Amino acid sequence: MLERLQSLEDRYNKLNELLSDPDVISDTNKLREYSKEQSGLEDVVQVYREYKEVNTQLKDAKEMLEDSLDDEMLEMVKAEIAELQASEEDLEERMRILLLPKDPNDDKDVFMEIRGAAGGDEAALFAGDLYRMYSRYAEALGWKIDVMEASSTGVGGYKEIIFLIKGSGAYSKLKYENGAHRVQRVPETESGGRIHTSTATVAVLPEVEEVEVDIHEKDIRVDTFASSGPGGQSVNTTMSAVRLTHEPTGIVVSIQDEKSQIKNKEKAMKILRARIYDKVQQEAQAEYDENRKSAVGTGDRSERIRTYNFPQNRVTDHRIGLTIQKLDQIMQGKLDEFVDALLMEDQTKKLEQIGE
């Protein structure tokens, strides 16, 4: 591990030199490529340098034990050694985590697709609550949100809403949200005060560039139609809405959010690329059962991953058995406890696999 870390530090130092080279500075593509590579190495190199410093201090402290020391000084040196050993172990663990294979999608922006599932109007209302929860989480992190398509119910809910979240590391934090989210509460329309259970599904797809997915124009059928509002009534007379069908996979994307047919088609193509890329990834995961087991909540979207119990102000993530009695805060977008716990669980499982 230490040899690999040293080679990464050497590469980091080399990149510093390259980024000062006038030839690189004048080449936009190289400058972007090297800057991105350097940024990806920064965390692990910083921890490795800290580790080397602690390791040097530890060796010096142990050498002091060989000198003639009075009792008071001896105790001080022993205490310092114990402290440095604890720091060394902590840094070793952090380095092992930083050396884990990185998900190539982690730095990407994400499409989130939320749909009301079982529960009719209440499921659609919950889909709206989830959208607002993720929006607040994104806003707190300084991320941007762009609604691509929304099918509202007119009472604050959504049959379906698709939106793009742009922000550094968006996919790395939101990828564990894939799955069925269950809500238990008394609906506003329930006069008897009975608790109902409804579900909404969440899909998280990394945004992908054209070069990452091989899509041939001849494989896409393009249909245009007039946009419609709630209940199916036409909201304009132009054929601005676009439906793209990728015939090899059967994936269909319909967008009518914009008044321009061109803009709707651009949005639809972005979502289509993301869905095809996701389908390819899902199929690849299925071929590697061990990889599938090592991931936390990035697989089957029919899996019930979380329950939101309003009467008891409780949210439970079933994958890791974590229950938090702060539902009101979580619905305001304070998701860090779940995000951090899921990331830690994923890292722990991957470390265990490496150790096997």
Side-chain angles (χ1 to χ4, degrees):
M1 181 176 78
L2 294 178
E3 287 179 8
R4 185 180 172 196
L5 286 161
Q6 186 58 55
S7 68
L8 291 176
E9 185 184 27
D10 293 342
R11 177 59 181 168
Y12 183 83
N13 292 335
K14 179 64 177 175
L15 287 166
N16 275 338
E17 293 176 18
L18 288 168
L19 289 168
S20 302
D21 187 324
D23 291 336
V24 172
I25 293 170
S26 61
D27 187 328
T28 307
N29 290 332
K30 279 189 177 179
L31 184 64
R32 183 170 57 246
E33 178 188 341
Y34 292 151
S35 296
K36 185 177 180 181
E37 185 182 355
Q38 186 202 45
S39 177
L41 291 174
E42 198 160 357
D43 286 346
V44 68
V45 169
Q46 184 178 344
V47 175
Y48 176 54
R49 286 174 174 173
E50 193 177 341
Y51 170 82
K52 288 196 294 183
E53 178 64 28
V54 168
N55 190 256
T56 300
Q57 292 175 17
L58 184 58
K59 286 178 181 176
D60 292 343
K62 286 180 176 178
E63 285 176 4
M64 287 181 68
L65 290 177
E66 298 174 8
D67 299 334
S68 298
L69 303 172
D70 58 42
D71 290 344
E72 185 178 350
M73 182 60 74
L74 183 62
E75 287 305 312
M76 286 177 62
V77 172
K78 285 181 177 178
E80 184 183 4
I81 288 173
E83 189 177 325
L84 288 168
Q85 284 175 331
S87 295
E88 187 180 52
E89 288 175 9
D90 178 59
L91 290 166
E92 285 175 351
E93 181 67 14
R94 286 169 63 189
M95 288 189 299
R96 276 195 287 271
I97 290 171
L98 288 167
L99 287 174
L100 286 172
K102 190 176 180 183
D103 187 331
N105 296 317
D106 274 353
D107 293 330
K108 292 181 178 178
D109 299 335
V110 297
F111 288 105
M112 295 195 78
E113 303 181 359
I114 305 176
R115 295 176 177 86
D121 287 344
E122 172 63 9
L125 284 169
F126 182 50
D129 291 337
L130 290 176
Y131 165 64
R132 287 181 282 276
M133 178 183 78
Y134 292 124
S135 297
R136 288 161 182 153
Y137 177 68
E139 287 164 5
L141 291 170
W143 296 345
K144 302 295 182 186
I145 300 165
D146 181 12
V147 175
M148 310 296 284
E149 181 71 354
S151 175
S152 65
T153 58
V155 289
Y158 293 98
K159 293 177 183 175
E160 175 187 66
I161 182 165
I162 303 170
F163 53 102
L164 176 66
I165 294 182
K166 298 179 180 181
S168 176
Y171 184 77
S172 69
K173 290 183 178 292
L174 292 169
K175 62 184 177 182
Y176 304 112
E177 298 303 305
N178 267 328
H181 295 241
R182 181 174 70 169
V183 62
Q184 294 174 327
R185 64 184 175 188
V186 179
E188 292 178 11
T189 55
E190 171 57 58
S191 58
R194 291 175 298 175
I195 295 173
H196 286 226
T197 298
S198 306
T199 56
T201 60
V202 175
V204 183
L205 315 176
E207 184 181 25
V208 294
E209 302 295 330
E210 287 185 47
V211 294
E212 294 179 84
V213 181
D214 190 17
I215 303 176
H216 301 288
E217 268 194 52
K218 63 181 178 61
D219 292 333
I220 300 174
R221 188 175 77 245
V222 181
D223 298 305
T224 58
F225 53 98
S227 299
S228 60
Q233 72 268 29
S234 177
V235 294
N236 65 47
T237 55
T238 62
M239 305 294 279
S240 60
V242 174
R243 181 189 300 110
L244 302 183
T245 303
H246 185 247
E247 295 187 331
T249 60
I251 294 172
V252 179
V253 179
S254 296
I255 295 291
Q256 61 175 20
D257 195 59
E258 301 284 349
K259 292 181 180 178
S260 159
Q261 185 184 114
I262 293 172
K263 288 183 178 179
N264 280 331
K265 188 176 179 182
E266 286 175 356
K267 282 187 172 184
M269 275 302 301
K270 285 183 178 182
I271 296 170
L272 184 65
R273 275 199 298 271
R275 288 185 183 173
I276 292 172
Y277 180 79
D278 181 64
K279 181 178 173 64
V280 171
Q281 282 201 315
Q282 293 293 326
E283 289 172 350
Q285 271 194 325
E287 292 178 15
Y288 297 95
D289 195 50
E290 282 302 315
N291 287 353
R292 198 173 177 85
K293 287 177 183 174
S294 71
V296 177
T298 54
D300 187 358
R301 293 201 187 95
S302 65
E303 175 191 7
R304 188 190 72 200
I305 64 165
R306 199 173 292 153
T307 295
Y308 303 72
N309 185 297
F310 275 71
Q312 298 179 25
N313 198 39
R314 182 184 72 216
V315 183
T316 298
D317 194 292
H318 304 291
R319 295 163 295 180
I320 54 176
L322 175 63
T323 295
I324 299 175
Q325 302 284 160
K326 302 175 186 174
L327 181 143
D328 51 340
Q329 294 180 36
I330 287 161
M331 298 311 293
Q332 291 299 316
K334 296 180 179 178
L335 294 170
D336 286 332
E337 283 187 70
F338 279 122
V339 170
D340 293 345
L342 287 160
L343 176 61
M344 185 176 294
E345 176 73 7
D346 201 14
Q347 290 174 342
T348 301
K349 285 193 173 185
K350 287 173 180 173
L351 285 169
E352 288 172 354
Q353 276 198 329
I354 291 172
E356 288 175 359

